[in-house]
Amino acid sequence: MSLVGLEQQDLVATLTLDNDAKRNALSAALIAEAITALQSCRERGVRVVVLRAHRGVKVWSAGHDVTELPRSGRDPLAYDDPLEQLIRAVRSFPAPVIAMIEGTVWGGAVELCLACDIPIGAPNVTFAITPARIGVPYNPAGLLRIVNEVDPSVVKEMFFTARPLPAQRALEVGILNHVVPEHDLERFTYEMAADIASLAPLSISVIKEQLRLLSNARPMAPETFERIQGLRRMVYDSEDYREGVSAFLEKRPPRWTGR
Ligand code: YXS
């Protein structure tokens, strides 16, 4: 059964997250299909990709597949984690990726939407960044990417409360470019896609890559990097991390100890 649909109309491709039974959780299998689909789009010279879920979904994506998070003692968001690979694949794809979003977005799926070049949402969209629900240590690349896009005080509120941020607020703080009524979302999105596809592809592709490189341009002293890694190890080696994942899998509220 495929977990990601791929269609193409002229120079515009559509990748559809297609595992509603698991709320489009970003499992290694789903991510592998998404990366393969992006590679196929690259080979076919696609000029815009629309990343979407099925029309009318309640949950666009429930984020990292919790059943695939390492149980403890291992970095859950290491460089080669499938979700990190997908985020890099979207950010380095040589054409704009539009996220067309309906329903709720959770955890790492929020970062996936931010990795897309132009996030467009319906009014029922919410974004919840949830490592604190699971006891997960976030990774520095992810934190930098998010704080590059969203005001740091809003980023802190999202991480510290794990509360879903509604669409209008997401628009105000720069997570969404547009909020469009559900009935008009597809027309609006594909009209923008067609406009982009009619422009100079090399110019757009190079500008996208320049912006990606410039956004990463942050020197970091090795000591700073070591400190950050040590902080993350403290969390992913913690009892709370083990408890957070177990509680999710056992469908019960977690009991935090702070150790
Ligand atoms: O019991 P079955 O087999 O039907 O499966 C259930 C859920 O277990 C499954 N599912 C997931 N499986 C793996 N990973 C997930 N993230 C995940 N979310 C859901 O999908 C089936 C239906 O779920 P159910 O019954 O809860 O659906 P619902 O409609 O009542 O509720 C939808 C949600 C999204 C509100 C609920 O599923 C939920 O709260 N999911 C977890 C959202 C979340 O906390 N995601 C963060 C994952 S950790 C992550 O992304 C990063 C590491 S971080 O946290 O650092 O950002």
Side-chain angles (χ1 to χ4, degrees):
M1 177 191 103
S2 92
L3 300 170
V4 174
L6 172 58
E7 295 159 276
Q8 183 173 343
Q9 182 85 31
D10 303 326
L11 292 165
V12 177
T14 300
L15 264 62
T16 304
L17 303 175
D18 187 13
N19 191 10
D20 291 345
K22 293 289 186 183
R23 304 300 181 265
N24 291 329
L26 300 173
S27 62
L30 184 147
I31 288 170
E33 287 193 28
I35 291 175
T36 302
L38 282 173
Q39 185 52 36
S40 158
C41 290
R42 183 191 286 256
E43 286 154 11
R44 286 189 269 169
V46 161
R47 292 200 189 152
V48 186
V49 172
V50 174
L51 177 62
R52 64 171 300 170
H54 285 299
R55 184 176 305 130
V57 286
K58 292 284 170 278
V59 179
W60 194 82
S61 172
H64 200 297
D65 186 322
V66 177
T67 67
E68 296 181 354
L69 285 173
R71 297 311 292 266
S72 81
R74 271 191 46 237
D75 185 344
L77 286 176
Y79 182 81
D80 57 358
D81 176 86
L83 178 55
E84 292 300 300
Q85 291 180 35
L86 176 58
I87 286 169
R88 287 197 297 272
V90 168
R91 287 166 51 82
S92 60
F93 186 77
V97 178
I98 300 176
M100 187 172 79
I101 312 162
E102 293 178 81
T104 56
V105 182
W106 302 82
V110 174
E111 211 190 320
L112 174 59
C113 290
L114 283 171
C116 295
D117 301 290
I118 305 171
I120 301 172
N124 71 343
V125 164
T126 64
F127 296 95
I129 302 183
T130 51
R133 274 182 72 171
I134 311 266
V136 172
Y138 219 73
N139 62 328
L143 287 174
L144 188 57
R145 287 192 286 254
I146 295 171
V147 85
N148 273 346
E149 309 268 346
V150 183
D151 181 290
S153 59
V154 175
V155 173
K156 287 178 190 174
E157 181 180 326
M158 292 186 78
F159 273 98
F160 299 165
T161 67
R163 277 190 198 156
L165 197 81
Q168 201 47 45
R169 183 80 178 114
L171 182 69
E172 289 162 10
V173 301
I175 295 176
L176 285 175
N177 285 27
H178 303 275
V179 175
V180 178
E182 280 89 347
H183 66 79
D184 200 27
L185 185 62
E186 289 194 356
R187 181 203 60 77
F188 182 94
T189 300
Y190 283 95
E191 239 176 49
M192 182 184 289
D195 284 355
I196 296 171
S198 71
L199 299 173
L202 186 60
S203 166
I204 290 172
S205 172
V206 167
I207 289 167
K208 173 174 173 175
E209 179 60 357
Q210 284 174 272
L211 288 169
R212 185 185 72 83
L213 294 169
L214 289 168
S215 71
N216 285 347
R218 287 277 198 298
M220 183 188 289
E223 179 201 342
T224 306
F225 180 77
E226 288 302 324
R227 166 96 175 111
I228 287 174
Q229 287 303 91
L231 287 167
R232 298 177 65 228
R233 198 171 304 116
M234 194 165 64
V235 179
Y236 67 68
D237 270 345
S238 70
E239 285 169 27
D240 273 0
Y241 175 63
R242 277 192 293 281
E243 166 62 11
V245 175
S246 305
F248 176 85
L249 299 177
E250 295 158 20
K251 299 183 188 292
R252 62 172 173 79
R255 291 178 295 273
W256 306 120
T257 62
R259 284 190 300 273

